[in-house]
Amino acid sequence: MTRQAENTLREAIVLITGGGRGVGRLYAHRLAAEGAFVVLVARSAAELEDVARSIRAEGGKVATYVVDVTTKPAVARVVEEVEEQLGPLDVLINNAGVRGPIGNAWECDWDDWWSTIEINLGGAVAFCHAVIPNMARRRKGRVVNIVSEAGVFRWPTVFAYSVSKAALIKFSENLASECRDDSLSVFAYHPGFLPLGLANEAMDLHASATPAEARVAAWCRAQLESSSAASPGSSAAQLVRLLSGAYDVLTGRYVTVHDDLDLLVARVGTAAASRDYRMLRSSA
């Protein structure tokens, strides 16, 4: 039986990083349609304004802020400004990310590798640092970290991206345990392999690319043509379900677009989840 949930997104203030394109743009439109006030942050003012115009044309509510997610003081200032101007944040979606270098680990440029970690992992941590204290004081809020199967399974030659997403999954798990006493929920959400964003960038690698890049591009094309690909609509719908409040018992877990959330809840069980958490706290 499908769990019933109220529309917790109506009038909610939702901040989405990397909101100017790809998955961020997709989710911004869907959450605005659900009645949320979406706050979009990214490095490109032009991309942000393009998304904002299209959301407003559909009757949605949106605000945009230009910020580099790796600059922690700037992140803190933006979050403070958002909450002063619009009100407290109800949802944080850490979506900003880059593919990073492609190639064997010992051959990739170190600066490119580290930059990928700083954006994909560091950006999420910076926003959590800025957002969670107020959520904890209000005892209300949800955090969704956008991750990938690449963080669960190996993806050779795309190792900076893979390692950053694996770290983000573990960060989500630990953060959820730390936030449980404050009634906050944290999810590591894999949106599926979608025909937009980083997947498109990978497929657009030119024929003159390195052999490693050519293999990645071919693999991405095969994925999009296979049954394992997800539709943008189903990816956004699953996110809405996660944010409904009906699945908060799954806090801390890696959840995918393909998962049956009701089945996951039935397997976890509220009592079992609470017992496991008490055991974790007592052993800490």
Side-chain angles (χ1 to χ4, degrees):
M1 180 180 295
T2 301
R3 297 169 69 85
Q4 298 298 314
E6 58 180 323
N7 183 0
T8 58
L9 289 170
R10 188 165 299 283
E11 304 303 325
I13 301 177
V14 180
L15 189 152
I16 306 174
T17 72
R21 56 181 173 171
V23 172
R25 181 176 186 134
L26 167 69
Y27 291 164
H29 273 276
R30 178 57 190 267
L31 297 183
E34 293 288 328
F37 192 124
V38 292
V39 180
L40 308 180
V41 301
R43 288 182 293 184
S44 170
E47 289 180 346
L48 286 173
E49 283 309 309
D50 184 56
V51 180
R53 278 193 298 271
S54 59
I55 288 175
R56 292 187 185 113
E58 296 170 357
K61 293 176 287 187
V62 60
T64 62
Y65 296 82
V66 176
V67 68
D68 183 337
V69 300
T70 67
T71 307
K72 193 172 182 296
V75 167
R77 285 194 299 272
V78 163
V79 170
E80 182 178 4
E81 186 176 347
V82 167
E83 297 204 321
E84 285 179 352
Q85 295 178 349
L86 304 176
L89 288 167
D90 298 292
V91 177
L92 168 64
I93 300 176
N94 285 309
N95 166 71
V98 295
R99 185 192 66 228
I102 296 176
N104 292 325
W106 61 93
E107 296 172 333
C108 288
D109 181 82
W110 164 256
D111 291 333
D112 290 344
W113 190 94
W114 189 246
S115 177
T116 304
I117 303 298
E118 286 186 314
I119 294 169
N120 296 0
L121 175 63
V125 176
F127 268 92
C128 285
H129 263 258
V131 169
I132 287 181
N134 282 345
M135 282 186 172
R137 279 190 285 272
R138 296 169 56 231
R139 298 182 62 79
K140 179 184 178 183
R142 294 184 177 89
V143 176
V144 178
N145 294 318
I146 303 301
V147 295
S148 168
E149 280 187 326
V152 178
F153 305 104
R154 66 183 182 273
W155 199 7
T157 71
V158 196
F159 80 115
Y161 180 81
S162 181
V163 168
S164 70
K165 293 300 182 179
L168 192 52
I169 291 170
K170 181 55 68 175
F171 171 69
S172 303
E173 180 182 346
N174 282 280
L175 184 64
S177 291
E178 294 167 359
C179 289
R180 198 182 299 255
D181 285 344
D182 296 308
S183 301
L184 308 183
S185 299
V186 182
F187 305 100
Y189 177 50
H190 168 45
F193 206 86
L194 301 169
L196 44 81
L198 297 182
N200 277 353
E201 290 180 16
M203 289 192 302
D204 287 342
L205 292 171
H206 300 296
S208 60
T210 67
E213 290 173 337
R215 285 194 297 271
V216 169
W219 183 86
C220 289
R221 292 189 194 96
Q223 285 295 108
L224 286 178
E225 295 169 359
S226 74
S227 59
S228 62
S231 72
S234 63
S235 181
Q238 184 82 312
L239 176 67
V240 170
R241 284 190 286 270
L242 266 184
L243 295 176
S244 70
Y247 303 99
D248 284 351
V249 70
L250 299 176
T251 183
R253 286 165 173 78
Y254 167 74
V255 179
T256 83
V257 62
H258 304 296
D259 288 333
D260 182 329
L261 299 183
D262 296 303
L263 180 59
L264 290 182
V265 168
R267 287 176 174 174
V268 172
T270 303
S274 298
R275 182 182 66 249
D276 291 345
Y277 176 64
R278 288 196 301 272
M279 291 174 62
L280 174 63
R281 294 290 288 181
S282 64
S283 63

